[in-house]
Amino acid sequence: MLRPLVLYPDPVLAKVSEPVHHIDNSVRELALDMLDTLKTVGGIGIAAPQIGIFRRIVIIDKSLEDLTDDVEKPQDFVFVVNPVITVIDKVKHIENEGCLSVPELRAKVARPRRVAMEGLDLDGKPVRYEGDGYFGACLQHEVDHLDGKLFLDHLSYLKRSMYEKKMKKK
Ligand code: NI
């Protein structure tokens, strides 16, 4: 079921999401709603709070894990419940980011270069994804959502206020 996206500056996007204690059918249904919404609006990842559900669930596009061969692969969405990020290489790396909840903005964000995401799939089995570059940024971006952070929070005050001004004019 398609659910409406929560958009900035809705203050609920700053809420910290709760861990999932039991992966039951209600959690799976919610995850499928996230997937429907992501596929409908078109994107490479989504976190539960972006559809107004404050649980620690994200969807990432695993096809971005290896972009070295330059071949465009079909999107391969995977669910991660209670994802935890481990930094593997903390050297800062810059990617151009955007977000379904922050319309009409793409901006450069510096984050640790290589990370791993560990959590559970919808069967409760452990999963682990690791990557750098764009994929690494995506992993960190989605977990940020669960902690009430947007990529906007990584930008300078100036860049952020320019964006806010632009959106107010609409
Ligand atoms: Ni986002």
Side-chain angles (χ1 to χ4, degrees):
M1 189 181 78
L2 178 65
R3 303 228 199 174
L5 274 178
V6 181
L7 298 180
Y8 182 82
D10 193 322
V12 302
L13 288 170
K15 266 175 80 163
V16 176
S17 294
E18 297 289 328
V20 174
H21 296 297
H22 302 286
I23 300 174
D24 53 17
N25 282 338
S26 71
V27 167
R28 288 183 196 107
E29 259 169 50
L30 160 65
L32 291 178
D33 285 355
M34 286 169 61
L35 185 60
D36 283 346
T37 307
L38 176 60
K39 283 187 167 167
T40 305
V41 295
I44 53 164
I46 194 168
Q50 292 182 274
I51 58 165
I53 309 284
F54 301 93
R55 310 293 301 277
R56 301 188 81 86
I57 308 169
V58 299
I59 299 179
I60 54 169
D61 180 0
K62 204 166 87 67
S63 75
L64 302 172
E65 201 169 8
D66 181 17
L67 296 172
T68 48
D69 52 9
D70 229 19
V71 178
E72 209 174 309
K73 300 181 192 88
Q75 290 191 302
D76 182 8
F77 292 120
V78 291
F79 298 93
V80 185
V81 178
N82 298 337
V84 175
I85 294 285
T86 312
V87 175
I88 294 171
D89 181 350
K90 66 177 174 18
V91 172
K92 287 286 164 68
H93 169 87
I94 293 171
E95 286 289 339
N96 207 20
E97 295 189 24
C99 179
L100 295 175
S101 293
V102 185
E104 297 176 43
L105 181 69
R106 292 195 71 84
K108 289 181 173 134
V109 178
R111 301 178 184 270
R113 194 180 69 88
R114 189 174 185 87
V115 297
M117 175 190 276
E118 283 175 292
L120 301 171
D121 68 11
L122 291 182
D123 298 309
K125 292 200 185 95
V127 287
R128 184 178 190 279
Y129 302 100
E130 181 180 327
D132 50 24
Y134 192 57
F135 186 64
C138 292
L139 298 179
Q140 296 173 76
H141 177 119
E142 296 312 333
V143 174
D144 265 3
H145 276 296
L146 306 181
D147 294 322
K149 266 192 262 165
L150 296 173
F151 82 105
L152 272 178
D153 297 313
H154 293 275
L155 304 184
S156 67
Y157 172 75
L158 182 66
K159 272 196 188 145
R160 212 180 145 133
S161 45
M162 274 165 53
Y163 174 68
E164 277 162 11
K165 231 184 202 169
K166 179 179 145 194
M167 295 313 278
K168 260 183 215 147
K169 280 197 196 133
K170 299 215 163 219

